[in-house]
């Protein structure tokens, strides 16, 4: 039994010779430390990315079957992305940096954790129209070069599952707006928020549809959302049911027409209040399950 078969059988409650052992990538700082200690080369530490040849070699040495983040991806968000821009350098070496999604972050000198948010470019309809909406138009180029070759490679894979990344319905929007602005926009301009969600969800749907039409036969779909914190969701279940669930349902229905009945979502935090709603939308795999919450 190969790795792909083990993963599929595990997720569908079928017999399996043993459970697959899967990791979810590395902190770059960890690989830098390993390079200093001589466990990996500096090229391996520098060139590692989810699912590439270096990732496979590192996983093999550590005894893993594969990296869960080995996915068929598209340009499913801003195209072009905003260039990273240093807005300010503080006396202690910390920097204010505007990142690829228009968020200005406090990047602490020498720190490797998630930076704090300082400001957001997306705040209202004017900024949406000027900076974001036109970056979310679908085109075939979003599948990348030579999609037919990628389809053949992924359909034939045996050392990992064929996971089709389905984008984000609300998580990426929470990134762009920030939690505070997302909360205010629900009251200040709900029509704009509905338009942003619809635009992002439709772009992701068209990517998924294009991959199926190109012949890809994935084992399951996978969304990234991160819309919960350690005590519950960052939006109300009512909001989520009304504005988000229909887009999951639309995409999972499409996948089932192509014989793909599994759908996964990556959401950190306390997810219990949204579980039933994801199930309503056709999502039947949750990753990760954070015991600490």
């Amino acid at each position: 039994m190969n790795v792909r078969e083990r993963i599929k059988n595990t997720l569908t409650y079928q017999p399996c010779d043993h459970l697959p052992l899967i990791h979810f990538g590395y902190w770059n700082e960890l690989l830098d430390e390993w390079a200093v200690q001589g466990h990996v080369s500096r090229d391996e530490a520098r060139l590692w990315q989810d699912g590439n040849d270096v990732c496979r070699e590192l996983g093999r040495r550590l005894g893993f079957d594969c990296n869960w983040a080995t996915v068929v991806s598209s340009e499913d968000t801003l195209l072009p992305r905003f260039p990273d821009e240093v807005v300010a350098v503080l006396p202690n070496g910390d920097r204010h940096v505007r990142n690829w999604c228009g968020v200005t972050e406090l990047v602490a000198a020498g720190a490797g954790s998630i930076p704090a948010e300082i400001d957001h470019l997306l705040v209202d309809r004017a900024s949406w129209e000027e900076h974001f909406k036109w970056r979310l138009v679908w085109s075939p180029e979003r599948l990348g070069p030579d999609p037919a070759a990628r389809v053949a490679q992924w359909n034939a894979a045996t050392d990992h599952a064929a996971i089709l990344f389905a984008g984000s319905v609300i998580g990426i929007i929470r990134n762009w707006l920030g939690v505070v602005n997302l909360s205010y926009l629900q009251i200040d301009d709900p029509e704009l928020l509905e338009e942003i969600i619809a635009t992002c969800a439709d772009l992701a749907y068209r990517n998924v549809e294009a991959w199926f039409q190109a012949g890809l036969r994935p084992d399951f779909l996978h969304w990234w959302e991160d819309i919960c914190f350690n005590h519950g969701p960052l939006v109300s279940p009512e909001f989520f049911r009304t504005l988000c669930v229909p887009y999951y349902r639309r995409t999972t229905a499409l996948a089932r027409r192509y014989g793909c009945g599994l759908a996964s979502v990556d959401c950190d935090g306390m997810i219990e209040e949204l579980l039933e709603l994801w199930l309503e939308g056709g999502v039947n795999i949750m990753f990760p399950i954070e015991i600490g919450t």
Side-chain angles (χ1 to χ4, degrees), residues 5 14 33 53 72 74 82 106 108 130 143 167-168 189 203 228 252 255 262 272 284:
E5 291 168 340
Q14 300 301 312
E33 286 188 21
D53 289 341
V72 184
S74 319
F82 296 106
L106 172 62
E130 180 179 359
L143 301 190
S168 175
D189 197 341
L203 171 59
C228 297
T252 56
L262 295 173
E272 277 78 353
N284 46 23

Side-chain angles (χ1 to χ4, degrees), residues 93-267:
D94 293 352
R95 296 172 298 149
H96 291 179
V97 179
R98 178 174 286 171
N99 67 16
W100 68 268
C101 55
V103 178
T104 301
E105 301 174 318
L106 172 62
V107 180
S113 188
I114 298 173
E117 297 176 0
I118 303 297
D119 198 8
H120 300 82
L121 188 59
L122 179 58
V123 292
D124 55 16
R125 179 165 290 280
S127 55
W128 163 248
E129 298 281 353
E130 180 179 359
H131 297 295
F132 286 81
K133 188 175 182 178
W134 62 270
R135 285 181 158 93
L136 296 164
V137 175
W138 189 84
S139 68
E141 289 72 27
R142 286 184 175 272
L143 301 190
D146 202 355
R150 294 179 69 193
V151 165
Q153 176 187 0
W154 281 88
N155 283 348
T158 59
D159 61 343
H160 56 79
I163 307 171
L164 175 55
F165 187 62
S168 175
V169 175
I170 185 65
I172 192 65
I173 297 169
R174 190 267 305 153
N175 271 0
W176 297 342
L177 286 165
V179 175
V180 173
N181 291 335
L182 173 62
S183 301
Y184 276 118
L185 202 60
Q186 293 176 49
I187 305 301
D188 294 342
D189 197 341
E191 292 81 11
L192 172 59
L193 184 54
E194 290 180 30
E195 179 181 324
I196 295 172
I197 293 172
T199 301
C200 292
D202 188 64
L203 171 59
Y205 176 89
R206 295 192 66 181
N207 278 333
V208 170
E209 182 180 48
W211 280 117
F212 278 120
Q213 290 174 347
L216 184 70
R217 294 299 177 261
D219 300 313
F220 57 94
L221 305 182
H222 185 64
W223 280 268
W224 176 88
E225 292 301 358
D226 276 14
I227 198 62
C228 297
F229 71 128
N230 64 345
H231 292 293
L234 295 166
V235 295
S236 73
E238 292 77 13
F239 172 98
F240 195 82
R241 171 179 277 116
T242 302
L243 296 181
C244 300
V245 169
Y247 295 112
Y248 291 107
R249 186 180 294 121
R250 179 191 183 202
T251 304
T252 56
L254 168 70
R256 286 196 299 273
R257 291 199 294 272
Y258 283 92
C260 178
L262 295 173
S264 165
V265 69
D266 174 345
C267 182

Side-chain angles (χ1 to χ4, degrees), residues 27-46 58 61:
W27 281 108
N28 290 329
E29 292 78 8
L30 172 64
L31 293 181
D32 289 339
E33 286 188 21
W34 284 358
V36 170
Q37 296 165 5
H39 302 300
V40 303
S41 72
R42 293 196 179 275
D43 280 347
E44 287 172 326
R46 180 174 56 87
L58 293 175
R61 286 189 225 163

